[in-house]
Amino acid sequence: MDATRSYPDAAAISAVLLAWYDRHRRLLPWRALPGETADPYRVWLSEVMLQQTTVAAVRPRFAAWVARWPDFASLAAAEEAEVMAAWAGLGYYARARNLVAAAKAVVADHGGVFPQDEAVLRTLPGLGAYTAAAVAAIAFGRRAVVVDANVERVVARLFAIRQPLPQARVAIRAAADTITPDARAGDFAQAMMDLGSAICTPKKPSCLLCPLAAECRARHEGSPDALPVKAAKKAKPQRHGTIFWLERDGAVLLVTRPGKGLLGGMRALPTGPWSDAPPGLADAPVTADWQMRNATVAHGFTHFDLELALAVAGGQAHQAAEGEWWPIAELDRAGLPTLFAKAAAAIMRKDG
């Protein structure tokens, strides 16, 4: 490490990284090719879809989505239930509701044209600091400081920021601001994302291939793998519940979950309360000869883990059950959230 200079040299980073990006950029269906103008709708949609989801998982879902709703106007006119079903499996279902709400706001308040200003973008439903900055930079070329998980890791290592997350995020954003160029801000943001995805990975970063290796303070100090420092995870509480599979004439009873709360507004199998102890048959949708399967389904949410018992009943005496009878052979079209899709698969396999 050269003691006569400071690391990193912020002025050198953008030029080196952009040159690398011009040679190695990922080809993604929502990205504009060199010389093309970015489509703000596709940029925004991809950024929302990619939150907590991998590029590999999003690719086919993105293609299906834009084939069905190619622009703000079509999405604004969509039935929310259809949008929620199309979102199934991508997690954080409030994001799907916000997509529709934001599209409606763009059509009603902005003449169907996505606003370019970062501050105005933040007034739209579901556009937080990161998404607004990403859209402003990538779709419109505005200078904005874009920090996702990949960028966070790259910057923490470049500047050897050793304060633990999440407290370090203020320092990381400030450091990212010092290296964000005025020109090609969108390409710079995507270059940082690509670098974090392909080279500056969470474990065993490929420092020998990194275009910024000469400027990386953590590398010069011999500790890139150790950054960013993450606070110890707290143990999540364990909750329990029961999923009810009520079947008749080749169909199963589905309900719509309340609009607010986890998995709000989604079609689902009926479920009783989620509590600290197994609730048994509490809040079963009907009185029936419920049979408990010798199997459970586990699912992790952000703030707790959930284990669900499986209760099954059938017959013709359930005409008054509230909900809709969905053909079991077409259950994959119901748009069930992952949790309930896993339970349905377990029951249809006759686990236990």
Side-chain angles (χ1 to χ4, degrees):
M1 185 171 179
D2 186 351
T4 65
R5 58 164 291 190
S6 60
Y7 293 88
D9 177 358
I13 286 176
S14 61
V16 172
L17 186 61
L18 286 168
W20 172 84
Y21 180 68
D22 288 340
R23 296 190 302 272
H24 300 289
R25 71 172 73 202
R26 288 182 289 179
L27 297 178
L28 300 172
W30 45 85
R31 277 189 183 172
L33 294 173
E36 292 183 344
T37 300
D39 180 345
Y41 176 79
R42 296 168 75 93
V43 171
W44 164 65
L45 176 63
S46 68
E47 289 298 338
V48 176
M49 282 189 166
L50 285 165
Q51 294 170 22
Q52 308 295 325
T53 316
T54 65
V55 167
V58 166
R59 276 181 184 270
R61 305 297 295 276
F62 178 87
W65 187 288
V66 296
R68 189 171 185 180
W69 300 298
D71 50 32
F72 292 106
S74 58
L75 183 57
E79 291 290 336
E80 185 172 293
E82 294 182 4
V83 173
M84 297 296 281
W87 190 264
L90 289 172
Y92 292 93
Y93 292 91
R95 287 184 288 156
R97 289 193 293 274
N98 282 332
L99 281 171
V100 177
K104 289 180 176 178
V106 169
V107 171
D109 302 331
H110 301 280
V113 178
F114 220 20
Q116 298 187 19
D117 183 78
E118 186 178 353
V120 178
L121 285 166
R122 290 198 65 175
T123 67
L124 296 173
L127 272 80
Y130 166 74
T131 306
V135 170
I138 298 169
F140 302 113
R142 299 290 187 95
R143 187 189 185 279
V145 182
V146 183
V147 183
D148 71 351
N150 281 320
V151 178
E152 187 174 80
R153 182 169 59 256
V154 171
V155 173
R157 290 171 175 172
L158 278 173
F159 289 82
I161 296 172
R162 301 190 180 281
Q163 184 182 18
L165 294 171
Q167 293 85 352
R169 288 188 174 129
V170 173
I172 288 173
R173 190 187 186 285
D177 193 4
T178 68
I179 60 175
T180 300
D182 293 331
R184 298 187 66 187
D187 283 348
F188 180 79
Q190 292 175 113
M192 291 285 279
M193 295 173 191
D194 284 6
L195 188 72
S197 173
I199 291 178
C200 195
T201 50
K203 297 180 180 178
K204 297 181 179 179
S206 302
C207 296
L208 292 177
L209 300 178
C210 181
L212 301 182
E215 299 302 330
C216 182
R217 187 173 186 88
R219 179 174 179 267
H220 285 293
E221 294 177 356
S223 59
D225 297 70
L227 298 175
V229 178
K230 296 183 178 180
K233 290 186 177 180
K234 295 181 180 179
K236 291 194 287 187
Q238 180 70 55
R239 294 185 185 175
H240 303 267
T242 303
I243 282 181
F244 298 96
W245 178 276
L246 185 61
E247 184 175 335
R248 79 170 195 206
D249 298 331
V252 64
L253 181 69
L254 300 183
V255 297
T256 300
R257 292 182 61 81
K260 294 184 178 179
L262 284 171
L263 310 178
M266 300 293 294
R267 283 195 193 98
L269 295 165
T271 178
W274 296 350
S275 51
D276 294 338
L281 299 178
D283 293 345
V286 296
T287 300
D289 182 20
W290 293 103
Q291 303 295 315
M292 302 299 296
R293 287 286 175 83
N294 186 29
T296 60
V297 170
H299 192 76
F301 291 100
T302 304
H303 300 298
F304 65 92
D305 290 324
L306 180 65
E307 184 176 46
L308 291 161
L310 307 175
V312 178
Q316 304 296 320
H318 310 303
Q319 305 296 327
E322 294 185 7
E324 58 182 322
W325 294 98
W326 195 278
I328 294 172
E330 300 178 13
L331 200 54
D332 59 343
R333 295 178 52 248
L336 296 179
T338 301
L339 163 63
F340 295 99
K342 287 195 293 187
I347 291 168
M348 289 189 287
R349 285 195 308 266
K350 303 190 183 308
D351 287 3

